[in-house]
């Protein structure tokens, strides 16, 4: 009688407790006796739920201020509007003669005299060189110390460098700080792309990466207003970039958790369970207490001997050995990864070269730089929002091929020569060049979003950060060459021929996409041997053997 009353009380208490929880994607009678995959764990805690939305919000805020620095660099480095000698002012500098005074925005180029001999392009190139080294170095650190720590470390380096740079009066120190800022921010960006692929399931990955593109593009609609208010490169770097980024680092420290996929790859199952438990409680699901399928090995040691169980133990031990030896060399010694990486690095180079080639060519389209930047930012914003539709509805490879074909056709418009008389007024040739830039901007935005998602899905967890690192390194090589190339072409040919070369690069990338494998709606693997195991005809565990039977066999020993 007493036991019956206790059971009824316990049932009523559970019903009262359940009212505060949302219904999960699936339920188990006893979570401690059930084994789930990582994808099932993400479904249980809630994909794109409250916690994932909080993470997305923080990343969007960081990307907004980060993009102020990168996309606002034409403002920070813009040339003076007039150059005066003996009270005679002209619009273009005569670098061979004395210049008494300068008129225009208080930029780095104006304060340090970087408007001659390509010196302005050099400081921008230093930033991108730093990004190239950061994109290669930080994946190694992220695979050793974890995604969260290195993400925070990269943003801390970048934000402090920008803040100190705003106070710097020495040009050489400013060069060094731009390099360090590029190193830290690129490392942050690389790890962020890995992080959003590993913190949740398919829907969150698609939404988060698309939102980051939208926020990035919206910066150029907001930043000109900030420039009009502050009117100084020092104030811009300190109060619109450096200080806000430092504040977001503090918020990230309290809200970000470690990547569950990275924890599983390092066999830190208890820590991974704590992360999922925190996410489930934050998303108002019943606390996560499941076991992971990767933990079967330790249960097998206490179970009766069965051939299927012994098979699981052998494969998991093989995974652990692979995880311990993974590194950049895995991308070289495995033919499939080598071919995949060789293709992707060319596609990432195209992405960055095209994007920043357009950014540094805005002064050549016949209208004001601010108007051109806002127009291109609006195009990027609209196409960035539409990229989510492409991600959810169409395969990755087809979407990439569509974008590349659009870039090829658009680049042909830029081959039309602009006559000299068009420099004083807008003519139809300049309109065609502007139309070409708009179409390329739209296609490269969708291409960018799809390529980010595809790269994360194409690599397994143990080498995902290395894959992103190699791709980001070659991508930043493109962004390093872009300002130098555009500056050289403008000085020699007086036009932005960086647009025309995009068509040739896109033709090569289009041909290479036929050798890539589709990842749309396919499982993400966590170990280098998972794909082989998934294609085996024999199951890891006999379908007739239940997990509860294994537990009962343990208890009877």
């Amino acid at each position: 009688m007493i036991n019956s009353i206790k059971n009824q009380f316990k049932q009523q208490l559970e019903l009262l407790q359940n009212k505060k929880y949302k219904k999960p994607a699936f339920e188990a009678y006893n979570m401690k006796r059930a084994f789930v995959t990582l994808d099932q764990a993400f479904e249980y805690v809630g994909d794109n739920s409250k916690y994932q939305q909080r993470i997305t919000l923080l990343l969007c805020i960081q990307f907004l201020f980060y993009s102020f620095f990168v996309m606002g660099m034409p403002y920070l480095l813009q040339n003076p509007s007039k150059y005066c000698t003996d009270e005679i002012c002209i619009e273009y500098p005569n670098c061979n003669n004395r210049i008494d005074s300068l008129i225009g925005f208080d930029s780095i180029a104006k304060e340090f005299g970087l408007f001659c001999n390509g010196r302005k392009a050099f400081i921008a190139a230093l930033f991108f060189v730093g990004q190239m080294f950061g994109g290669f170095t930080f994946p190694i650190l992220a695979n050793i110390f974890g995604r969260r720590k290195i993400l925070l470390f990269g943003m801390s380096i970048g934000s402090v460098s920008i803040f100190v740079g705003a106070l710097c009066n020495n040009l050489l120190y400013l060069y060094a700080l731009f390099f360090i800022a590029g190193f830290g921010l690129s490392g942050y960006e690389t790890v962020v792309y890995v992080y959003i692929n590993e913190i949740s399931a398919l829907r969150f990955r698609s939404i988060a990466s698309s939102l980051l593109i939208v926020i990035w593009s919206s910066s150029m609609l907001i930043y000109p207003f900030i420039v009009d208010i502050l009117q100084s490169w020092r104030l811009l770097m300190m109060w619109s970039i450096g200080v806000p980024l430092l504040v977001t680092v503090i918020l990230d420290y309290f809200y970000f958790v470690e990547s569950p996929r990275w924890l599983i790859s390092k066999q830190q199952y208890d820590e991974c369970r704590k992360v999922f438990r925190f996410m489930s409680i934050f998303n108002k699901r019943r606390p996560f207490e499941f076991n992971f399928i990767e933990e079967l090995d330790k249960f097998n040691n206490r179970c009766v001997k069965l051939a299927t169980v012994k098979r699981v133990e052998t494969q998991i031990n093989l995974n652990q050995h692979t995880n311990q030896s993974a590194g950049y060399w895995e991308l070289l010694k495995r033919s499939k990864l080598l071919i995949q990486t060789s293709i992707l690095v060319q596609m990432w180079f195209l992405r960055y070269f095209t994007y920043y080639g357009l950014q540094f060519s805005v002064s050549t389209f016949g209208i004001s730089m601010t108007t051109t930047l806002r127009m291109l930012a609006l195009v990027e914003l609209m196409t960035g929002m539409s990229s989510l539709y492409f991600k959810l509805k169409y395969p990755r490879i087809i979407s990439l091929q569509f974008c590349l074909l659009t870039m090829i056709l658009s680049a042909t418009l830029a081959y039309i020569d602009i006559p000299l008389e068009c420099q004083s007024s807008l003519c139809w040739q300049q309109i065609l060049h502007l139309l070409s830039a708009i179409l390329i901007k739209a296609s490269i935005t969708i291409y960018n979003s799809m390529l980010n998602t595809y790269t994360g899905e194409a690599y397994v967890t143990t080498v995902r950060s290395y894959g992103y690192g190699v791709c980001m390194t070659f991508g930043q090589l493109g962004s390093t060459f872009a300002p130098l190339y555009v500056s050289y072409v403008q000085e020699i040919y007086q036009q932005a021929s960086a647009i025309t070369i995009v068509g040739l690069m896109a033709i090569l990338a289009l041909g290479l996409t036929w050798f890539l494998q589709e990842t749309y709606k396919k499982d993400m693997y966590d170990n280098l041997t998972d794909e082989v195991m998934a294609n085996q005809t024999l199951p890891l565990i006999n379908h007739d053997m239940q997990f509860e039977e294994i537990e009962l066999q343990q208890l009877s020993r």
Side-chain angles (χ1 to χ4, degrees), residues 244-469:
L245 286 179
L246 285 171
V247 173
T248 60
V249 171
I250 299 173
L251 295 175
D252 288 355
Y253 177 82
F254 290 104
Y255 284 106
F256 279 30
V257 296
E258 186 52 81
S259 161
R261 291 188 181 275
W262 179 81
L263 291 171
I264 288 293
S265 71
K266 300 298 182 182
Q267 292 90 49
Q268 299 182 26
Y269 304 120
D270 292 334
E271 290 297 320
C272 186
R273 211 172 347 263
K274 290 178 182 178
V275 169
F276 277 118
R277 183 179 177 86
F278 171 78
M279 292 170 63
S280 62
I281 294 174
F282 200 99
N283 292 336
K284 296 185 178 180
R285 267 71 170 180
R286 290 185 65 83
F288 183 93
E289 295 180 352
F290 287 101
N291 296 300
F292 299 106
I293 203 73
E294 289 83 358
E295 292 183 277
L296 278 172
D297 189 35
K298 70 178 183 180
F299 285 90
N300 293 342
N301 292 331
R302 293 176 291 172
C303 294
V304 296
K305 279 194 174 182
L306 295 174
T308 51
V309 178
K310 186 176 181 181
R311 178 179 177 79
V312 173
E313 180 180 359
T314 303
Q315 290 174 336
I316 291 178
N317 285 333
L318 177 60
N319 285 342
Q320 293 174 353
H321 174 72
T322 304
N323 292 339
Q324 293 171 357
S325 60
Y328 274 116
W329 54 85
E330 292 290 347
L331 305 178
L332 300 176
K333 72 179 185 180
R334 296 173 182 266
S335 59
K336 179 182 175 180
L337 288 177
L338 178 60
I339 295 172
Q340 174 181 288
T341 304
S342 301
I343 296 173
L344 287 177
V345 295
Q346 193 275 337
M347 298 179 71
W348 277 73
F349 182 93
L350 170 64
R351 168 201 165 182
Y352 277 89
F353 183 88
T354 304
Y355 190 88
Y356 290 106
L358 279 175
Q359 189 69 13
F360 285 95
S361 303
V362 293
S363 61
T364 64
F365 296 123
I367 55 179
S368 69
M369 184 176 70
T370 300
T371 303
T372 306
L373 285 173
R374 286 176 176 172
M375 185 184 301
L376 294 179
L378 183 61
V379 171
E380 186 175 356
L381 179 64
M382 295 173 61
T383 51
M385 290 187 290
S386 66
S387 66
L388 179 60
Y389 174 79
F390 280 85
K391 285 184 180 181
L392 297 177
K393 295 294 183 181
Y394 297 102
R396 314 300 190 208
I397 303 300
I398 293 177
S399 299
L400 289 171
Q401 291 171 342
F402 172 77
C403 295
L404 290 168
L405 184 60
T406 304
M407 280 190 277
I408 294 170
L409 298 176
S410 303
T412 57
L413 298 176
Y415 280 95
I416 300 175
D417 291 331
I418 300 177
L420 295 177
E421 54 267 21
C422 289
Q423 294 181 358
S424 57
S425 61
L426 189 64
C427 58
W428 66 270
Q429 291 93 339
Q430 285 180 320
I431 294 176
L432 287 180
H433 274 243
L434 183 60
L435 178 61
S436 173
I438 290 174
L439 292 175
I440 292 177
K441 187 70 166 183
S443 55
I444 199 65
T445 301
I446 300 176
Y447 176 87
N448 178 15
S449 181
M450 295 300 303
L451 189 61
N452 282 338
T453 303
Y454 177 81
T455 304
E457 295 173 345
Y459 290 102
V460 300
T461 300
T462 50
V463 296
R464 184 172 294 118
S465 62
Y466 297 120
Y468 263 114

